Amino acid sequence: MEQLGTALLLALAAMLANGEYLFGSSMLSRPLVTCTLAGLIMGDVQMGIVMGATLELAFVGSFSIGASIPPEIISGSILGTAFAISTGESTAVALALGIPIASLILVVKNLCFIFVLPYFVHKADKYALEGNSKGISRMQLLGGFLSINLPIGIIVATSYLVGSPVIQNVLDAIPAFVIAGLGIATGLLPAYGFALLLKLMVNKKNAVFFVFGFALAVYLKVPVTGVAIFGACLALILTGYATLKNNDHNGPSGGSREPALANDGGINYEDEEF
């Protein structure tokens, strides 16, 4: 009975994290949140936070962009954390379990997108032609709940109930050197996650800031928090300087007070003097 209650709470946590259709885009789906919730449910909040931070680094670049859909990190994070805590294993095992679980559940999620969600989308189109705004809102909420929240919740609860003994047997059969290798992989996957993120962000205009942060961390031994503080201060200085110079160009008589920005949203360094 206790295991059933835990499974239901994990399912509710997964449904909450999949609540974009109800709450809008939020950070509830990130591993740092979902693993902490799973740790709270499993009775080990500290381990949940640690596992969440590790999985967050691994999935830091996992965002849906166009047709590229990342693994279903919500269910992977929750189930990976729950299995690791229930079996008394390490963060490396949570990471090793979370990634394949996320990839498998992505298949189910895609099937729901293909076969369930279109019905509610077409109904919403019909209500839009009729000018029925309440009908559109109702289809959005029902579509999100029945095609995403409810299936994911059922999968998470069922997987935990059925999978815990199975996972324990699998872990008992894994040799010690494989567990050690998983620990090494735990250190490599965060680098891969950052590489995915940098691939989207870094260009010739802001690469110098990446090199600056790397030099601070590696050669000056500045902690990550210190690098973040340096970066925030530098960003405020540069954007403030751009705003001040733009105001000087416009003069006190009026004109736009927006900072001189490049077309891609960054500071136009060609117009700045440092």
Side-chain angles (χ1 to χ4, degrees):
M1 192 67 181
E2 181 180 352
Q3 190 176 14
L4 177 61
T6 301
L8 291 177
L9 289 175
L10 292 174
L12 290 175
M15 294 172 68
L16 174 66
N18 275 290
E20 285 88 356
Y21 285 79
L22 180 61
F23 302 111
S25 298
S26 63
M27 292 292 106
L28 292 176
S29 60
R30 302 307 301 174
L32 195 58
V33 177
T34 55
C35 291
T36 302
L37 290 176
L40 179 63
I41 293 169
M42 299 300 298
D44 194 342
V45 180
Q46 181 178 354
M47 184 58 68
I49 294 173
V50 172
M51 293 180 178
T54 303
L55 288 170
E56 185 67 54
L57 290 173
F59 288 112
V60 69
S62 296
F63 288 94
S64 178
I65 301 174
S68 175
I69 302 177
E72 214 285 320
I73 60 175
I74 296 173
S75 303
S77 300
I78 290 177
L79 287 175
T81 302
F83 285 145
I85 292 177
S86 64
T87 55
E89 296 294 336
S90 64
T91 304
V93 174
L95 185 61
L97 293 174
I99 293 178
I101 289 173
S103 300
L104 289 174
I105 294 182
L106 176 63
V107 176
V108 178
K109 194 171 184 178
N110 284 337
L111 291 176
C112 292
F113 276 136
I114 294 172
F115 295 107
V116 181
L117 187 60
Y119 169 79
F120 297 97
V121 173
H122 295 318
K123 289 286 289 185
D125 290 338
K126 180 181 177 181
Y127 286 131
L129 292 175
E130 298 172 356
N132 186 346
S133 59
K134 292 184 178 179
I136 297 173
S137 299
R138 187 165 61 251
M139 289 302 101
Q140 177 184 1
L141 295 176
L142 287 176
F145 179 77
L146 295 177
S147 64
I148 298 177
N149 292 74
L150 185 60
I152 294 298
I154 293 174
I155 292 172
V156 168
T158 305
S159 298
Y160 180 76
L161 289 174
V162 176
S164 185
V166 175
I167 293 297
Q168 181 63 62
N169 293 333
V170 171
L171 291 176
D172 292 339
I174 296 177
F177 73 90
V178 175
I179 298 295
L182 293 175
I184 297 174
T186 303
L188 294 177
L189 282 173
Y192 177 71
F194 274 113
L196 291 175
L197 190 62
L198 290 174
K199 184 178 180 181
L200 302 174
M201 296 176 58
V202 173
N203 55 44
K204 63 181 181 180
K205 292 184 177 180
N206 59 28
V208 62
F209 299 108
F210 170 73
V211 176
F212 177 65
F214 177 81
L216 286 176
V218 174
Y219 296 105
L220 298 181
K221 307 299 182 183
V222 178
V224 175
T225 304
V227 174
I229 293 173
F230 272 112
C233 293
L234 186 59
L236 291 173
I237 291 171
L238 292 178
T239 53
Y241 179 80
T243 304
L244 179 63
K245 185 174 182 180
N246 190 59
N247 290 341
D248 291 340
H249 286 330
N250 291 331
S253 59
S256 174
R257 290 184 175 271
E258 294 296 325
L261 300 178
N263 292 332
D264 60 357
I267 300 173
N268 191 345
Y269 296 101
E270 296 178 357
D271 295 335
E272 298 297 330
E273 297 177 1
F274 296 102

